[in-house]
């Protein structure tokens, strides 16, 4: 988590409002050696911030490729468990 925060030079709102598939995207790219690799990218549209009408879309903010395995692991292993535990139990 600390690596993620250290890699995103932006306001805490940017992190708080990330949505998979909308503004938090996994993008396949080629590294400097031409090998396939994936990176996570934060891509905010003009509607995502109050000065968007004036300044338009922000440029994509790619995270370090070294974070990709940890983000992937969190999304596959931990996120589903956290989502299940946060839903209200039946009959409560």
């Amino acid at each position: 988590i600390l690596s993620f925060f250290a890699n995103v030079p932006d306001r805490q709102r940017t992190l708080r409002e990330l949505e998979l598939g909308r503004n938090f995207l996994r993008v396949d790219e080629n590294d400097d050696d031409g090998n396939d690799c994936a990176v996570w990218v934060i891509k905010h549209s003009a509607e995502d911030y109050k000065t968007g009408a004036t300044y338009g879309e922000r440029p994509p903010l790619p995270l370090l490729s070294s974070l990709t395995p940890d983000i992937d692991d969190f999304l596959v292993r931990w996120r589903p468990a956290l989502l299940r535990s946060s839903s209200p139990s039946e009959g409560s």
Side-chain angles (χ1 to χ4, degrees):
I1 291 175
L2 293 176
S3 297
F4 188 90
F5 290 141
N7 191 234
V8 180
D10 212 336
R11 302 174 308 151
Q12 50 90 15
R13 178 181 174 192
T14 298
L15 300 172
R16 209 179 53 227
E17 296 183 357
L18 289 179
E19 291 180 40
L20 282 175
R22 187 178 76 79
N23 55 17
F24 190 48
L25 310 164
R26 192 174 195 273
V27 177
D28 294 320
E29 296 185 340
N30 290 325
D31 63 13
D32 294 335
D33 297 326
N35 300 317
D36 290 334
C37 66
V39 295
W40 283 92
V41 176
I42 297 173
K43 177 73 175 113
H44 284 291
S45 67
E47 295 81 37
D48 290 330
Y49 58 105
K50 64 184 177 186
T51 57
T54 303
Y55 297 108
E57 285 195 10
R58 298 178 70 183
L61 176 63
L63 302 180
L64 294 172
S65 60
S66 60
L67 292 176
T68 298
D70 293 327
I71 294 169
D72 291 345
D73 180 57
F74 173 82
L75 293 173
V76 169
R77 185 188 320 183
W78 299 109
R79 185 173 188 258
L82 293 170
L83 289 174
R84 277 193 304 272
S85 68
S86 68
S87 60
S89 61
E90 292 184 30
S92 302

